[in-house]
């Protein structure tokens, strides 16, 4: 997490990571009810990772076609 904020600009965090984080948080908050904080945290972080990977892949595909 520290590396994320250290390596990325504020603009990139606001435009790329914040929306992906919020979508992942909403999904985790509404769907993941495992009864264990640890499991829900791992599921949330996995969701955030997957959505970010999809977002970055889509962004790369869109910008490479131009």
């Amino acid at each position: 997490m520290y590396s994320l904020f250290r390596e990325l600009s504020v603009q990139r965090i606001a435009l790329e990571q914040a929306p992906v984080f919020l979508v992942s948080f909403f999904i985790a908050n509404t769907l993941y009810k495992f009864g264990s904080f640890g499991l829900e945290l791992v599921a949330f972080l996995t969701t955030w990772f997957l959505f970010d990977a999809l977002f970055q892949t889509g962004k790369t595909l869109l910008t490479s076609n131009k």
Side-chain angles (χ1 to χ4, degrees):
M1 183 64 69
Y2 175 74
S3 295
L4 173 73
F5 286 103
R6 200 172 123 223
E7 298 294 325
L8 298 179
S9 67
V10 174
Q11 180 183 9
R12 189 166 173 197
I13 291 171
L15 294 176
E16 294 179 10
Q17 292 300 312
V20 174
F21 171 83
L22 292 173
V23 168
S24 300
F25 184 80
F26 176 76
I27 289 171
N29 196 34
T30 56
L31 298 178
Y32 302 155
K33 306 295 181 200
F34 301 130
S36 167
F37 173 77
L39 287 176
E40 290 179 16
L41 177 63
V42 169
F44 161 68
L45 292 173
T46 302
T47 304
W48 186 7
F49 176 83
L50 293 174
F51 273 96
D52 188 35
L54 288 172
F55 179 82
Q56 297 301 328
T57 303
K59 187 178 99 173
T60 302
L61 290 173
L62 287 174
T63 56
S64 67
N65 289 337
K66 291 184 179 181

